[in-house]
Amino acid sequence: MSSRLALIVSTVLACGCVPIPHTVEVTPKIEGVLSSELGPVSGAEVRLTQILSDVVCAKAEHITYTDAAGKFEFQPISRFHFVYPLYGDPLYRWNVCMTTKGLTYAGTVGATLGSPPPALIKLDCIVKASTTPVTPQTTGREVDNLQICKSTRGT
């Protein structure tokens, strides 16, 4: 009996995980405002994805729309896991895109390695006449320079 228990324990430790079912928030709560040079942008589509290479958020997990004041909000995305890893750092990532007047803009890209994402991110997003929209062909480096949102960690 003790040798069987020792075998089970050593097998679990060798695989690097233990069977502890748990839920993890993989994106933060995101609150934001989208405006233009003329004021708040209402009715804009705002998308959230965890695929950083999806620069236009085509495979969005959540979609919302700005209200009359240009405000939008996403609740955190949670994932259920059957096992708890004993080593290795998980990567948490999120990508927000906005579409208004038929053009898509890179809102913000965020990621944390090892530690969970912050509880809240606040975005202040401004789309100007001179702002360059993104397309599926936009590269990751270009997206870094085209983001229209400034983010702050909320409390």
Side-chain angles (χ1 to χ4, degrees):
M1 180 68 124
S2 63
S3 63
R4 185 177 279 174
L5 179 61
L7 178 62
I8 291 171
V9 169
S10 63
T11 302
V12 166
L13 292 176
C15 78
C17 55
V18 291
I20 301 174
H22 64 287
T23 301
V24 176
E25 286 187 354
V26 294
T27 67
K29 177 178 182 180
I30 299 172
E31 297 176 350
V33 177
L34 177 61
S35 58
S36 73
E37 297 158 317
L38 303 175
V41 176
S42 64
E45 184 179 79
V46 185
R47 297 182 301 261
L48 172 66
T49 182
Q50 292 182 71
I51 305 168
L52 294 182
S53 63
D54 183 9
V55 297
V56 295
C57 301
K59 297 177 182 175
E61 294 169 82
H62 293 285
I63 299 173
T64 191
Y65 295 87
T66 57
D67 64 13
K71 294 181 180 179
F72 61 91
E73 181 179 298
F74 292 106
Q75 293 302 316
I77 296 174
S78 297
R79 295 280 187 252
F80 178 78
H81 300 279
F82 286 104
V83 295
Y84 188 85
L86 296 176
Y87 55 85
D89 291 328
L91 174 63
Y92 303 101
R93 57 205 174 277
W94 55 93
N95 186 13
V96 177
C97 305
M98 288 90 175
T99 299
T100 181
K101 297 180 182 176
L103 298 173
T104 299
Y105 300 94
T108 190
V109 175
T112 61
L113 179 63
S115 60
L120 174 65
I121 294 284
K122 293 185 178 185
L123 300 176
D124 183 22
C125 310
I126 301 173
V127 61
K128 300 176 182 175
S130 61
T131 304
T132 303
V134 293
T135 66
Q137 292 76 34
T138 304
T139 67
R141 288 195 177 183
E142 291 171 328
V143 168
D144 290 343
N145 297 322
L146 297 177
Q147 295 176 33
I148 64 169
C149 300
K150 293 187 191 252
S151 65
T152 56
R153 290 180 185 226
T155 54

